[in-house]
Amino acid sequence: MSAHAPLDARTLCSHPLGWVATGLGSGLSPRAPGTAGSIAALLPWLLLARLDAPVYLMVVAATFVLGTWASNWVIARTGVHDPGAVVIDEWVGLWIALFLVPAGWPWALLGLVAFRFFDILKPWPIGWLDRRVKGGFGVMVDDVLAGLMALGVVQGVWWLLKAGNG
């Protein structure tokens, strides 16, 4: 295999970093891999949400580091700046959006929709980061910012509803 050969699903999934980068294969969806990866990230989040806040943040930070490494691995083999199959960044971004979210599926759904909104539209400064920061860190960091913006939306809505009730 050459240094910049396209990676198929079998090649990606034959290496542990490929599994990490593709969100355990969820990024291999033929349509909307980022959305598929984000939805798949809800499953491990169900376990993550049970953790104390500091442990939750440590898991997210460790996944960011591992995701950066895995993204670099895929980029080095494809020569593609942000391969569509790489969705570990969506996992981290969504987990940030859902940090300390109130209990219940409506809140998780709001976090998912808000995260996908910011990740797809890439308003400033997300788009600026996406264009200027390269490599695995670049793949990951714009989704971190999209997750932070979505977190602000979710927590803001929760605060407004709480303030309106008393």
Side-chain angles (χ1 to χ4, degrees):
M1 174 167 74
S2 73
H4 295 301
L7 291 181
D8 61 11
R10 175 180 232 158
T11 305
L12 278 172
C13 294
S14 70
H15 194 284
L17 290 176
W19 273 105
V20 169
T22 63
L24 304 179
S26 61
L28 299 172
S29 170
R31 295 184 193 255
T35 299
S38 297
I39 292 168
L42 288 169
L43 294 174
W45 171 77
L46 292 172
L47 298 174
L48 258 177
R50 298 171 181 246
L51 301 175
D52 291 332
V55 178
Y56 183 107
L57 292 174
M58 285 191 292
V59 171
V60 172
T63 306
F64 177 88
V65 171
L66 181 59
T68 300
W69 181 23
S71 297
N72 276 328
W73 181 84
V74 174
I75 291 167
R77 280 148 186 82
T78 63
V80 177
H81 159 64
D82 192 351
V86 173
V87 296
I88 191 63
D89 51 331
E90 272 81 9
W91 285 40
V92 168
L94 182 63
W95 293 349
I96 290 169
L98 297 178
F99 180 60
L100 298 177
V101 69
W105 278 106
W107 293 103
L109 182 60
L110 175 61
L112 174 67
V113 170
F115 171 68
R116 292 306 298 148
F117 173 83
F118 290 116
D119 188 36
I120 291 168
L121 294 182
K122 298 192 184 312
W124 188 90
I126 299 168
W128 182 87
L129 279 173
D130 185 54
R131 289 186 302 276
R132 286 173 176 76
V133 183
K134 303 299 180 198
F137 183 79
V139 167
M140 300 295 294
V141 75
D142 68 306
D143 286 69
V144 166
L145 190 52
L148 288 170
M149 293 174 97
L151 174 65
V153 167
V154 173
Q155 295 298 322
V157 169
W158 179 67
W159 183 83
L160 287 170
L161 290 176
K162 192 171 121 177
N165 288 331

